[in-house]
Amino acid sequence: MRYLLLMILATVLVCGGCSDDDGIGGGGDSDSDSDSDTDTDTDSDTDSDTDSDTDTDFTYGVCKLSCTAPADCVPDTPNETHDADNFDCTDDVCTWKGCLNTAECAVVFPGITGIACDTNVDPPKCHVPCSAPADCALDSSAVLYPIFGSDNSTCDNSLCVWTGCNNDQECVDAYPAKTWVCHEYLNTPICGVGCTTPADCALTDDLFNEDHWLCTDGACEHTGCASTAECIFYTADHVCVK
């Protein structure tokens, strides 16, 4: 159940300040959070989360890593896109700035020829090169192919950008063990847990009990933290920012 929850949070950026994207777009994602945040997607155009914040518009409370300097935001096992120069420490909380240049992406993803730092997304992310959306698709035998096919990405400025799920059936095919629905959340349709009431979404942790959920259009939507005490779910160094 913990895996399910973290998967939801990372994919939909529900807890926008709890994780940040370093993302590799369209075909080979590696996801690791310094605070044990994991991503739904292990390949294609997903985002590699390592800590801190990617979302500046989310109106609910967000668990963010506290800091006094950018060095406090660096994960225990940093890479070129998650060094101190990739973070800001603003108002005592961490914000990931994204990749700074293509050279960083080449170091982090050495096996992907032509990978580049895509500055057309915010924050900039490492995205896979393409000449057509088909170049962004996973192999058809891949477990998550239903939501990472050629119709789930665009090829923008010769780089893959994942556009999300297209319908509920794709989510059912990708995650057959759960009742998933394609739910537009924070501008990108993603696979979320289906529900009829907020109680269907609840877990035992304070941060994820029934009071912290909405059932929106048949999909679970987390409303964020209400207090810093709840952010202990991640680490004691996280604070709730509203």
Side-chain angles (χ1 to χ4, degrees):
M1 196 62 167
R2 176 63 61 87
Y3 168 75
L4 171 63
L5 174 62
L6 291 177
M7 186 162 59
I8 296 167
L9 295 186
T11 306
V12 305
L13 300 181
V14 161
C15 194
C18 304
S19 62
D20 300 267
D21 288 308
D22 104 288
I24 170 171
D29 182 10
S30 172
D31 214 286
S32 63
D33 192 316
S34 64
D35 309 310
S36 301
D37 221 1
T38 59
D39 195 350
T40 309
D41 309 318
T42 56
D43 11 47
S44 196
D45 175 25
T46 59
D47 300 326
S48 175
D49 299 340
T50 304
D51 49 30
S52 197
D53 181 35
T54 57
D55 176 22
T56 57
D57 297 322
F58 199 64
T59 56
Y60 298 121
V62 177
C63 291
K64 296 186 177 184
L65 186 64
S66 61
C67 59
T68 57
D72 298 332
C73 308
V74 177
D76 292 337
T77 54
N79 58 35
E80 292 296 317
T81 59
H82 286 82
D83 289 332
D85 58 354
N86 296 103
F87 291 92
D88 279 331
C89 180
T90 305
D91 296 328
D92 298 323
V93 294
C94 295
T95 299
W96 185 63
K97 298 189 295 184
C99 52
L100 301 181
N101 50 60
T102 291
E104 289 187 340
C105 297
V107 172
V108 176
F109 303 102
I112 303 177
T113 302
I115 194 165
C117 182
D118 188 353
T119 57
N120 293 308
V121 296
D122 184 25
K125 300 181 182 73
C126 298
H127 279 185
V128 172
C130 58
S131 57
D135 298 333
C136 308
L138 295 182
D139 183 273
S140 59
S141 63
V143 173
L144 295 180
Y145 176 78
I147 57 172
F148 292 103
S150 59
D151 59 348
N152 298 108
S153 294
T154 60
C155 185
D156 294 342
N157 299 305
S158 298
L159 294 172
C160 292
V161 178
W162 188 62
T163 55
C165 53
N166 292 312
N167 51 60
D168 290 351
Q169 189 60 50
E170 286 187 343
C171 296
V172 171
D173 293 342
Y175 304 105
K178 298 291 180 181
T179 303
W180 294 89
V181 295
C182 186
H183 175 47
E184 184 152 340
Y185 196 84
L186 298 180
N187 301 319
T188 300
I190 56 87
C191 295
V193 175
C195 60
T196 55
T197 69
D200 298 331
C201 312
L203 300 180
T204 56
D205 299 275
D206 289 344
L207 183 58
F208 303 105
N209 62 32
E210 184 177 349
D211 294 338
H212 290 71
W213 293 95
L214 299 175
C215 184
T216 305
D217 298 327
C220 293
E221 184 172 333
H222 192 248
T223 60
C225 55
S227 68
T228 290
E230 294 174 343
C231 294
I232 192 67
F233 177 87
Y234 295 99
T235 72
D237 295 326
H238 278 74
V239 296
C240 184
V241 179
K242 299 181 181 180

